[in-house]
Amino acid sequence: MYPYIRHDPPEDQRQANPDTVKRVRSAVADIVETERRRHRAEGLVHSWDLNREDLDKAAVSLGIPPVSDEEWGTILAARGKPDQPPPDHIVLDG
């Protein structure tokens, strides 16, 4: 096995482009803020115990599209009910 020999990068490679650093910081800040919003929204959905119909009405009133089937499945999975129908779905026997 060959021993690892540490080579320091040349000085010009150590200096990051300030514009690149600004863009990376901005992108990370956007990602963090998006995650915060998502967690707040999930918290509201869970604390208000919204069903799919109520959530869709809320979305429309806010001028955003209703949740997709995939998003609703994610909400149910976060509630710990991935295989169960939404709470407003009632199945009557016979």
Side-chain angles (χ1 to χ4, degrees), residues 41-42 73 75:
E42 286 177 356
I75 291 168

Side-chain angles (χ1 to χ4, degrees), residues 2-8:
Y2 298 104
Y4 173 74
I5 301 173
R6 182 173 171 235
H7 295 282
D8 289 331

Side-chain angles (χ1 to χ4, degrees), residues 23-91:
R23 287 195 316 264
V24 168
R25 285 183 178 165
S26 177
V28 169
D30 288 346
I31 291 168
V32 168
E33 182 58 28
T34 299
E35 281 299 303
R36 284 184 185 144
R37 285 188 204 142
R38 185 179 65 80
H39 284 290
R40 278 183 273 182
E42 286 177 356
L44 290 174
V45 169
H46 296 300
S47 67
W48 293 345
D49 198 27
L50 295 175
N51 60 34
R52 175 111 187 232
E53 181 182 350
D54 293 337
L55 188 58
D56 287 346
K57 286 179 186 176
V60 170
S61 71
L62 293 170
I64 58 176
V67 296
S68 68
D69 290 340
E70 181 180 344
E71 291 167 325
W72 182 247
T74 301
I75 291 168
L76 290 179
R79 287 181 177 173
K81 305 173 184 178
D83 297 322
Q84 295 181 6
D88 61 340
H89 181 80
I90 299 172
V91 177

